[in-house]
Amino acid sequence: MVRLSSKHDGSGDVVEVASVPFKVATLQSASREVVSLAVTGSAKAIRLANAYSIACSSTTPEYARVMAGDGINYPDGSPVVLFMRLFAPSGSRRPERVRGPSLFREVIAQSEGTSIRHFFAGATQETLALMAAKIEEEYPRARIEGVHSPPFAPVTEEYIDAIADVIGANRCDLVWVGLGTPKQDIVAAGLARRLGVPCVGVGAAFDFVAGTIPEAPEIYQRLGMEWVYRLISEPRRLWRRYTIGNLQFLRAVVLARVEQQSWGERRSLKRKL
């Protein structure tokens, strides 16, 4: 069922946008939670989801099950945050954006000098090497346990098993997955179950840190217009995401609103009867 609602999950407010549950958090609280999960060894899949994530989940049942399943969804996208604020109950905490690349950097910074061991899966070998070198330069006390560039292939149980085998040969506490949406979230969910550690899907964070893809200036990020900068930078690769994808997102939200209203009317009618 597609709907918009709000609930409390016992560990923080959760607001649903088109049946995808998003946790209300700040960058700081999300970073602390990820670090805590790594320290305690919690097998959680963590997703930094945006409008494109909702568009994909509205058309792909397998991905919809992942997004509604075990794990945490943080809102990484201004349109998602906007609808969370519109539909959150009055008096609840104000939803804020948890930007994936910023969370990535913040968690690594918080892990400096601790026992947390990071593993990076995704991107190309060149990007991983550049990123690891950059992290070692900027966060010299962070512990990088290993990197792996999986082959380009469809996501199957065997594909996830193969990645898990590589990571499992290295003792790690936190796995970062950069394979793009929706692939990275499906893989992260499978890896969390297999490895028993938190796994975070972080999109283009690897490329941003490595410097292989330009990151939007801070002014674009503050104005919620980062997608405009990325579209200008990579029009051939991203035009479908930011045109067709945004239309699918709006359609999913509108359908959810209509269904929610219909459900409310049906419940009201039952009470009268």
Tab-separated table of all heavy atoms in Angstrom, residues 219-267:
chain	number	residue	atom	x	y	z
A	219	ILE	N	27.008	26.492	-1.655
A	219	ILE	CA	25.814	27.313	-1.850
A	219	ILE	C	24.701	26.509	-2.500
A	219	ILE	O	23.531	26.637	-2.155
A	219	ILE	CB	26.149	28.579	-2.687
A	219	ILE	CG1	24.927	29.476	-2.812
A	219	ILE	CG2	26.690	28.199	-4.048
A	219	ILE	CD1	24.428	30.049	-1.514
A	220	TYR	N	25.048	25.634	-3.453
A	220	TYR	CA	24.054	24.773	-4.076
A	220	TYR	C	23.478	23.804	-3.050
A	220	TYR	O	22.275	23.517	-3.052
A	220	TYR	CB	24.673	23.977	-5.233
A	220	TYR	CG	24.853	24.753	-6.512
A	220	TYR	CD1	25.964	25.576	-6.697
A	220	TYR	CD2	23.935	24.650	-7.549
A	220	TYR	CE1	26.144	26.283	-7.878
A	220	TYR	CE2	24.104	25.346	-8.733
A	220	TYR	CZ	25.208	26.164	-8.895
A	220	TYR	OH	25.382	26.861	-10.064
A	221	GLN	N	24.339	23.270	-2.185
A	221	GLN	CA	23.886	22.323	-1.174
A	221	GLN	C	22.931	22.989	-0.199
A	221	GLN	O	21.886	22.421	0.142
A	221	GLN	CB	25.089	21.739	-0.428
A	221	GLN	CG	26.053	20.967	-1.317
A	221	GLN	CD	27.280	20.501	-0.560
A	221	GLN	OE1	27.220	20.265	0.648
A	221	GLN	NE2	28.413	20.388	-1.246
A	222	ARG	N	23.264	24.199	0.243
A	222	ARG	CA	22.419	24.896	1.222
A	222	ARG	C	21.065	25.250	0.635
A	222	ARG	O	20.051	25.236	1.338
A	222	ARG	CB	23.121	26.166	1.713
A	222	ARG	CG	24.294	25.908	2.637
A	222	ARG	CD	24.558	27.134	3.516
A	222	ARG	NE	24.733	28.341	2.725
A	222	ARG	CZ	25.917	28.799	2.305
A	222	ARG	NH1	27.011	28.144	2.605
A	222	ARG	NH2	26.000	29.909	1.604
A	223	LEU	N	21.032	25.571	-0.664
A	223	LEU	CA	19.779	25.965	-1.306
A	223	LEU	C	18.953	24.764	-1.779
A	223	LEU	O	17.874	24.941	-2.328
A	223	LEU	CB	20.079	26.880	-2.505
A	223	LEU	CG	20.669	28.245	-2.182
A	223	LEU	CD1	21.021	28.988	-3.464
A	223	LEU	CD2	19.696	29.078	-1.346
A	224	GLY	N	19.460	23.566	-1.556
A	224	GLY	CA	18.742	22.384	-2.016
A	224	GLY	C	18.763	22.233	-3.519
A	224	GLY	O	17.887	21.590	-4.106
A	225	MET	N	19.785	22.784	-4.167
A	225	MET	CA	19.861	22.770	-5.634
A	225	MET	C	21.063	21.969	-6.119
A	225	MET	O	21.545	22.177	-7.234
A	225	MET	CB	19.947	24.210	-6.155
A	225	MET	CG	18.764	25.082	-5.780
A	225	MET	SD	17.233	24.516	-6.545
A	225	MET	CE	17.516	25.033	-8.245
A	226	GLU	N	21.533	21.065	-5.315
A	226	GLU	CA	22.694	20.268	-5.698
A	226	GLU	C	22.427	19.470	-6.970
A	226	GLU	O	23.312	19.274	-7.796
A	226	GLU	CB	23.096	19.323	-4.566
A	226	GLU	CG	24.378	18.546	-4.836
A	226	GLU	CD	24.846	17.752	-3.637
A	226	GLU	OE1	24.162	17.779	-2.592
A	226	GLU	OE2	25.909	17.105	-3.742
A	227	TRP	N	21.165	19.026	-7.126
A	227	TRP	CA	20.822	18.239	-8.308
A	227	TRP	C	21.017	19.044	-9.590
A	227	TRP	O	21.370	18.479	-10.635
A	227	TRP	CB	19.380	17.740	-8.200
A	227	TRP	CG	18.335	18.817	-8.284
A	227	TRP	CD1	17.830	19.562	-7.275
A	227	TRP	CD2	17.674	19.267	-9.478
A	227	TRP	NE1	16.901	20.464	-7.746
A	227	TRP	CE2	16.785	20.303	-9.094
A	227	TRP	CE3	17.753	18.904	-10.823
A	227	TRP	CZ2	15.975	20.959	-10.018
A	227	TRP	CZ3	16.946	19.560	-11.738
A	227	TRP	CH2	16.068	20.574	-11.332
A	228	VAL	N	20.802	20.365	-9.529
A	228	VAL	CA	20.992	21.214	-10.707
A	228	VAL	C	22.463	21.203	-11.117
A	228	VAL	O	22.799	21.050	-12.299
A	228	VAL	CB	20.521	22.661	-10.426
A	228	VAL	CG1	20.853	23.565	-11.607
A	228	VAL	CG2	19.036	22.685	-10.124
A	229	TYR	N	23.337	21.353	-10.137
A	229	TYR	CA	24.778	21.349	-10.421
A	229	TYR	C	25.209	20.008	-11.004
A	229	TYR	O	25.971	19.956	-11.976
A	229	TYR	CB	25.554	21.643	-9.133
A	229	TYR	CG	27.053	21.703	-9.335
A	229	TYR	CD1	27.673	22.891	-9.714
A	229	TYR	CD2	27.845	20.566	-9.148
A	229	TYR	CE1	29.050	22.948	-9.909
A	229	TYR	CE2	29.205	20.622	-9.341
A	229	TYR	CZ	29.804	21.812	-9.721
A	229	TYR	OH	31.166	21.861	-9.923
A	230	ARG	N	24.693	18.909	-10.416
A	230	ARG	CA	25.080	17.590	-10.900
A	230	ARG	C	24.551	17.339	-12.313
A	230	ARG	O	25.211	16.717	-13.140
A	230	ARG	CB	24.569	16.505	-9.946
A	230	ARG	CG	25.253	16.535	-8.589
A	230	ARG	CD	25.095	15.220	-7.874
A	230	ARG	NE	25.750	14.147	-8.602
A	230	ARG	CZ	25.527	12.849	-8.368
A	230	ARG	NH1	24.646	12.499	-7.451
A	230	ARG	NH2	26.165	11.923	-9.056
A	231	LEU	N	23.346	17.816	-12.594
A	231	LEU	CA	22.777	17.650	-13.928
A	231	LEU	C	23.594	18.413	-14.963
A	231	LEU	O	23.858	17.900	-16.064
A	231	LEU	CB	21.323	18.125	-13.946
A	231	LEU	CG	20.584	18.023	-15.288
A	231	LEU	CD1	20.567	16.586	-15.788
A	231	LEU	CD2	19.168	18.563	-15.152
A	232	ILE	N	24.025	19.613	-14.616
A	232	ILE	CA	24.856	20.405	-15.519
A	232	ILE	C	26.213	19.722	-15.731
A	232	ILE	O	26.756	19.713	-16.839
A	232	ILE	CB	25.055	21.833	-14.967
A	232	ILE	CG1	23.723	22.591	-14.957
A	232	ILE	CG2	26.080	22.595	-15.790
A	232	ILE	CD1	23.781	23.929	-14.247
A	233	SER	N	26.752	19.126	-14.665
A	233	SER	CA	28.065	18.491	-14.739
A	233	SER	C	28.035	17.184	-15.524
A	233	SER	O	28.989	16.855	-16.230
A	233	SER	CB	28.597	18.220	-13.327
A	233	SER	OG	28.719	19.422	-12.589
A	234	GLU	N	26.935	16.414	-15.385
A	234	GLU	CA	26.835	15.105	-16.040
A	234	GLU	C	25.473	14.935	-16.711
A	234	GLU	O	24.682	14.069	-16.325
A	234	GLU	CB	27.030	13.979	-15.020
A	234	GLU	CG	28.355	13.985	-14.285
A	234	GLU	CD	28.448	12.834	-13.310
A	234	GLU	OE1	28.828	11.716	-13.734
A	234	GLU	OE2	28.106	13.038	-12.132
A	235	PRO	N	25.160	15.752	-17.712
A	235	PRO	CA	23.810	15.710	-18.314
A	235	PRO	C	23.466	14.387	-18.977
A	235	PRO	O	22.332	13.910	-18.859
A	235	PRO	CB	23.848	16.863	-19.327
A	235	PRO	CG	25.309	17.063	-19.625
A	235	PRO	CD	26.013	16.768	-18.347
A	236	ARG	N	24.414	13.784	-19.678
A	236	ARG	CA	24.111	12.543	-20.398
A	236	ARG	C	23.795	11.396	-19.454
A	236	ARG	O	22.954	10.549	-19.749
A	236	ARG	CB	25.287	12.166	-21.311
A	236	ARG	CG	25.523	13.162	-22.441
A	236	ARG	CD	26.637	12.694	-23.356
A	236	ARG	NE	26.320	11.439	-24.029
A	236	ARG	CZ	27.143	10.806	-24.871
A	236	ARG	NH1	28.341	11.325	-25.115
A	236	ARG	NH2	26.781	9.700	-25.435
A	237	ARG	N	24.459	11.361	-18.311
A	237	ARG	CA	24.244	10.263	-17.376
A	237	ARG	C	23.048	10.495	-16.462
A	237	ARG	O	22.365	9.545	-16.067
A	237	ARG	CB	25.495	10.052	-16.508
A	237	ARG	CG	25.433	8.812	-15.628
A	237	ARG	CD	26.732	8.585	-14.903
A	237	ARG	NE	26.933	9.517	-13.809
A	237	ARG	CZ	26.471	9.319	-12.564
A	237	ARG	NH1	25.777	8.235	-12.274
A	237	ARG	NH2	26.722	10.198	-11.627
A	238	LEU	N	22.764	11.750	-16.135
A	238	LEU	CA	21.780	12.030	-15.088
A	238	LEU	C	20.461	12.626	-15.566
A	238	LEU	O	19.562	12.826	-14.758
A	238	LEU	CB	22.395	12.976	-14.042
A	238	LEU	CG	23.604	12.423	-13.270
A	238	LEU	CD1	24.170	13.498	-12.358
A	238	LEU	CD2	23.211	11.187	-12.471
A	239	TRP	N	20.312	12.903	-16.864
A	239	TRP	CA	19.099	13.608	-17.293
A	239	TRP	C	17.834	12.791	-17.025
A	239	TRP	O	16.796	13.352	-16.630
A	239	TRP	CB	19.190	13.997	-18.769
A	239	TRP	CG	18.988	12.859	-19.746
A	239	TRP	CD1	19.939	12.060	-20.279
A	239	TRP	CD2	17.730	12.399	-20.281
A	239	TRP	NE1	19.382	11.120	-21.120
A	239	TRP	CE2	18.026	11.309	-21.142
A	239	TRP	CE3	16.403	12.793	-20.125
A	239	TRP	CZ2	17.043	10.620	-21.837
A	239	TRP	CZ3	15.418	12.110	-20.812
A	239	TRP	CH2	15.727	11.034	-21.656
A	240	ARG	N	17.903	11.484	-17.194
A	240	ARG	CA	16.713	10.660	-16.941
A	240	ARG	C	16.340	10.670	-15.453
A	240	ARG	O	15.162	10.710	-15.101
A	240	ARG	CB	16.954	9.219	-17.401
A	240	ARG	CG	17.032	9.056	-18.912
A	240	ARG	CD	17.263	7.609	-19.296
A	240	ARG	NE	16.135	6.774	-18.896
A	240	ARG	CZ	15.048	6.565	-19.630
A	240	ARG	NH1	14.945	7.135	-20.832
A	240	ARG	NH2	14.077	5.796	-19.201
A	241	ARG	N	17.366	10.629	-14.598
A	241	ARG	CA	17.098	10.633	-13.155
A	241	ARG	C	16.370	11.898	-12.738
A	241	ARG	O	15.424	11.851	-11.938
A	241	ARG	CB	18.410	10.508	-12.375
A	241	ARG	CG	18.252	10.759	-10.876
A	241	ARG	CD	19.548	10.639	-10.131
A	241	ARG	NE	20.086	9.297	-10.163
A	241	ARG	CZ	21.012	8.845	-9.317
A	241	ARG	NH1	21.475	9.639	-8.374
A	241	ARG	NH2	21.466	7.626	-9.427
A	242	TYR	N	16.822	13.054	-13.262
A	242	TYR	CA	16.278	14.318	-12.789
A	242	TYR	C	15.104	14.839	-13.615
A	242	TYR	O	14.581	15.904	-13.318
A	242	TYR	CB	17.388	15.369	-12.727
A	242	TYR	CG	18.425	15.048	-11.680
A	242	TYR	CD1	19.770	14.965	-12.005
A	242	TYR	CD2	18.053	14.808	-10.366
A	242	TYR	CE1	20.725	14.667	-11.047
A	242	TYR	CE2	18.994	14.503	-9.406
A	242	TYR	CZ	20.327	14.435	-9.743
A	242	TYR	OH	21.265	14.130	-8.788
A	243	THR	N	14.674	14.112	-14.620
A	243	THR	CA	13.465	14.468	-15.351
A	243	THR	C	12.406	13.395	-15.132
A	243	THR	O	11.445	13.599	-14.390
A	243	THR	CB	13.757	14.646	-16.851
A	243	THR	OG1	14.408	13.462	-17.362
A	243	THR	CG2	14.651	15.845	-17.096
A	244	ILE	N	12.611	12.244	-15.736
A	244	ILE	CA	11.655	11.145	-15.570
A	244	ILE	C	11.574	10.715	-14.113
A	244	ILE	O	10.494	10.474	-13.565
A	244	ILE	CB	12.050	9.953	-16.472
A	244	ILE	CG1	11.983	10.379	-17.945
A	244	ILE	CG2	11.139	8.758	-16.223
A	244	ILE	CD1	12.510	9.338	-18.910
A	245	GLY	N	12.736	10.627	-13.455
A	245	GLY	CA	12.757	10.218	-12.055
A	245	GLY	C	11.963	11.151	-11.160
A	245	GLY	O	11.206	10.711	-10.288
A	246	ASN	N	12.109	12.456	-11.346
A	246	ASN	CA	11.370	13.413	-10.521
A	246	ASN	C	9.872	13.339	-10.778
A	246	ASN	O	9.063	13.489	-9.857
A	246	ASN	CB	11.879	14.834	-10.784
A	246	ASN	CG	13.202	15.107	-10.083
A	246	ASN	OD1	13.666	14.310	-9.275
A	246	ASN	ND2	13.824	16.230	-10.418
A	247	LEU	N	9.482	13.098	-12.025
A	247	LEU	CA	8.060	12.935	-12.336
A	247	LEU	C	7.495	11.685	-11.672
A	247	LEU	O	6.369	11.696	-11.146
A	247	LEU	CB	7.855	12.869	-13.854
A	247	LEU	CG	8.099	14.178	-14.628
A	247	LEU	CD1	7.999	13.929	-16.126
A	247	LEU	CD2	7.094	15.244	-14.204
A	248	GLN	N	8.272	10.605	-11.665
A	248	GLN	CA	7.833	9.373	-10.997
A	248	GLN	C	7.718	9.589	-9.489
A	248	GLN	O	6.810	9.056	-8.847
A	248	GLN	CB	8.815	8.240	-11.301
A	248	GLN	CG	8.766	7.751	-12.733
A	248	GLN	CD	9.849	6.720	-13.033
A	248	GLN	OE1	10.919	6.739	-12.429
A	248	GLN	NE2	9.569	5.824	-13.966
A	249	PHE	N	8.635	10.363	-8.942
A	249	PHE	CA	8.580	10.681	-7.520
A	249	PHE	C	7.303	11.436	-7.179
A	249	PHE	O	6.567	11.074	-6.241
A	249	PHE	CB	9.804	11.506	-7.130
A	249	PHE	CG	9.688	12.203	-5.801
A	249	PHE	CD1	9.739	11.483	-4.622
A	249	PHE	CD2	9.538	13.584	-5.740
A	249	PHE	CE1	9.628	12.127	-3.386
A	249	PHE	CE2	9.429	14.226	-4.518
A	249	PHE	CZ	9.472	13.501	-3.340
A	250	LEU	N	7.004	12.481	-7.948
A	250	LEU	CA	5.794	13.262	-7.689
A	250	LEU	C	4.537	12.424	-7.862
A	250	LEU	O	3.576	12.542	-7.095
A	250	LEU	CB	5.759	14.480	-8.614
A	250	LEU	CG	6.814	15.556	-8.339
A	250	LEU	CD1	6.775	16.626	-9.412
A	250	LEU	CD2	6.599	16.176	-6.960
A	251	ARG	N	4.535	11.560	-8.850
A	251	ARG	CA	3.388	10.675	-9.069
A	251	ARG	C	3.177	9.757	-7.865
A	251	ARG	O	2.045	9.571	-7.404
A	251	ARG	CB	3.600	9.842	-10.328
A	251	ARG	CG	2.473	8.859	-10.642
A	251	ARG	CD	2.755	8.112	-11.934
A	251	ARG	NE	1.672	7.195	-12.267
A	251	ARG	CZ	1.583	5.950	-11.800
A	251	ARG	NH1	2.538	5.477	-11.002
A	251	ARG	NH2	0.558	5.180	-12.119
A	252	ALA	N	4.275	9.196	-7.335
A	252	ALA	CA	4.172	8.308	-6.178
A	252	ALA	C	3.622	9.053	-4.966
A	252	ALA	O	2.786	8.525	-4.216
A	252	ALA	CB	5.537	7.702	-5.861
A	253	VAL	N	4.071	10.294	-4.760
A	253	VAL	CA	3.602	11.080	-3.623
A	253	VAL	C	2.121	11.431	-3.777
A	253	VAL	O	1.341	11.326	-2.830
A	253	VAL	CB	4.450	12.357	-3.463
A	253	VAL	CG1	3.849	13.265	-2.400
A	253	VAL	CG2	5.884	11.989	-3.096
A	254	VAL	N	1.718	11.825	-4.984
A	254	VAL	CA	0.310	12.184	-5.217
A	254	VAL	C	-0.591	10.962	-5.020
A	254	VAL	O	-1.634	11.045	-4.362
A	254	VAL	CB	0.130	12.766	-6.635
A	254	VAL	CG1	-1.350	12.890	-6.974
A	254	VAL	CG2	0.808	14.122	-6.738
A	255	LEU	N	-0.194	9.825	-5.583
A	255	LEU	CA	-0.986	8.604	-5.416
A	255	LEU	C	-1.082	8.222	-3.942
A	255	LEU	O	-2.137	7.764	-3.479
A	255	LEU	CB	-0.370	7.461	-6.224
A	255	LEU	CG	-0.501	7.553	-7.742
A	255	LEU	CD1	0.228	6.390	-8.409
A	255	LEU	CD2	-1.976	7.570	-8.159
A	256	ALA	N	0.006	8.408	-3.225
A	256	ALA	CA	-0.002	8.097	-1.797
A	256	ALA	C	-0.982	8.990	-1.056
A	256	ALA	O	-1.722	8.535	-0.180
A	256	ALA	CB	1.400	8.264	-1.224
A	257	ARG	N	-1.000	10.263	-1.408
A	257	ARG	CA	-1.907	11.213	-0.749
A	257	ARG	C	-3.359	10.863	-1.041
A	257	ARG	O	-4.211	10.879	-0.142
A	257	ARG	CB	-1.597	12.631	-1.233
A	257	ARG	CG	-2.414	13.708	-0.544
A	257	ARG	CD	-2.170	13.711	0.945
A	257	ARG	NE	-2.846	14.823	1.587
A	257	ARG	CZ	-3.020	14.937	2.901
A	257	ARG	NH1	-2.563	13.996	3.702
A	257	ARG	NH2	-3.622	15.983	3.416
A	258	VAL	N	-3.650	10.537	-2.289
A	258	VAL	CA	-5.014	10.162	-2.663
A	258	VAL	C	-5.446	8.907	-1.924
A	258	VAL	O	-6.564	8.826	-1.401
A	258	VAL	CB	-5.111	9.945	-4.190
A	258	VAL	CG1	-6.451	9.316	-4.565
A	258	VAL	CG2	-4.925	11.269	-4.916
A	259	GLU	N	-4.572	7.929	-1.850
A	259	GLU	CA	-4.912	6.677	-1.180
A	259	GLU	C	-5.098	6.896	0.311
A	259	GLU	O	-5.978	6.302	0.927
A	259	GLU	CB	-3.834	5.626	-1.426
A	259	GLU	CG	-4.198	4.275	-0.849
A	259	GLU	CD	-3.311	3.166	-1.370
A	259	GLU	OE1	-2.712	3.342	-2.440
A	259	GLU	OE2	-3.233	2.125	-0.699
A	260	GLN	N	-4.269	7.758	0.900
A	260	GLN	CA	-4.410	8.044	2.318
A	260	GLN	C	-5.759	8.690	2.604
A	260	GLN	O	-6.448	8.335	3.560
A	260	GLN	CB	-3.290	8.964	2.795
A	260	GLN	CG	-3.350	9.246	4.306
A	260	GLN	CD	-2.431	10.363	4.711
A	260	GLN	OE1	-2.296	11.342	3.984
A	260	GLN	NE2	-1.779	10.232	5.857
A	261	GLN	N	-6.161	9.638	1.745
A	261	GLN	CA	-7.444	10.292	1.936
A	261	GLN	C	-8.592	9.302	1.765
A	261	GLN	O	-9.565	9.318	2.527
A	261	GLN	CB	-7.580	11.451	0.952
A	261	GLN	CG	-6.658	12.624	1.264
A	261	GLN	CD	-6.741	13.724	0.228
A	261	GLN	OE1	-7.087	13.493	-0.933
A	261	GLN	NE2	-6.415	14.936	0.623
A	262	SER	N	-8.480	8.419	0.779
A	262	SER	CA	-9.520	7.425	0.554
A	262	SER	C	-9.629	6.483	1.745
A	262	SER	O	-10.716	6.113	2.172
A	262	SER	CB	-9.224	6.618	-0.719
A	262	SER	OG	-9.185	7.459	-1.849
A	263	TRP	N	-8.462	6.100	2.287
A	263	TRP	CA	-8.449	5.220	3.445
A	263	TRP	C	-9.099	5.900	4.641
A	263	TRP	O	-9.876	5.286	5.383
A	263	TRP	CB	-7.013	4.833	3.771
A	263	TRP	CG	-6.891	3.943	4.973
A	263	TRP	CD1	-7.109	2.597	5.035
A	263	TRP	CD2	-6.521	4.344	6.303
A	263	TRP	NE1	-6.906	2.131	6.312
A	263	TRP	CE2	-6.539	3.177	7.116
A	263	TRP	CE3	-6.181	5.560	6.883
A	263	TRP	CZ2	-6.229	3.213	8.468
A	263	TRP	CZ3	-5.854	5.592	8.231
A	263	TRP	CH2	-5.887	4.434	9.005
A	264	GLY	N	-8.832	7.204	4.818
A	264	GLY	CA	-9.443	7.948	5.912
A	264	GLY	C	-10.951	8.047	5.760
A	264	GLY	O	-11.700	7.931	6.736
A	265	GLU	N	-11.390	8.238	4.530
A	265	GLU	CA	-12.831	8.307	4.283
A	265	GLU	C	-13.503	6.970	4.558
A	265	GLU	O	-14.599	6.913	5.120
A	265	GLU	CB	-13.087	8.748	2.837
A	265	GLU	CG	-12.699	10.194	2.578
A	265	GLU	CD	-12.735	10.542	1.092
A	265	GLU	OE1	-13.044	9.628	0.285
A	265	GLU	OE2	-12.457	11.703	0.756
A	266	ARG	N	-12.842	5.877	4.159
A	266	ARG	CA	-13.413	4.546	4.406
A	266	ARG	C	-13.505	4.262	5.901
A	266	ARG	O	-14.501	3.710	6.386
A	266	ARG	CB	-12.559	3.472	3.720
A	266	ARG	CG	-12.642	3.477	2.212
A	266	ARG	CD	-12.102	2.170	1.624
A	266	ARG	NE	-10.708	1.961	1.951
A	266	ARG	CZ	-9.694	2.376	1.201
A	266	ARG	NH1	-9.934	3.054	0.089
A	266	ARG	NH2	-8.447	2.127	1.564
A	267	ARG	N	-12.490	4.662	6.657
A	267	ARG	CA	-12.515	4.430	8.093
A	267	ARG	C	-13.596	5.255	8.758
A	267	ARG	O	-14.285	4.786	9.663
A	267	ARG	CB	-11.147	4.754	8.703
A	267	ARG	CG	-11.053	4.317	10.169
A	267	ARG	CD	-9.652	4.396	10.690
A	267	ARG	NE	-9.206	5.794	10.852
A	267	ARG	CZ	-8.130	6.137	11.544
A	267	ARG	NH1	-7.358	5.209	12.095
A	267	ARG	NH2	-7.773	7.389	11.639
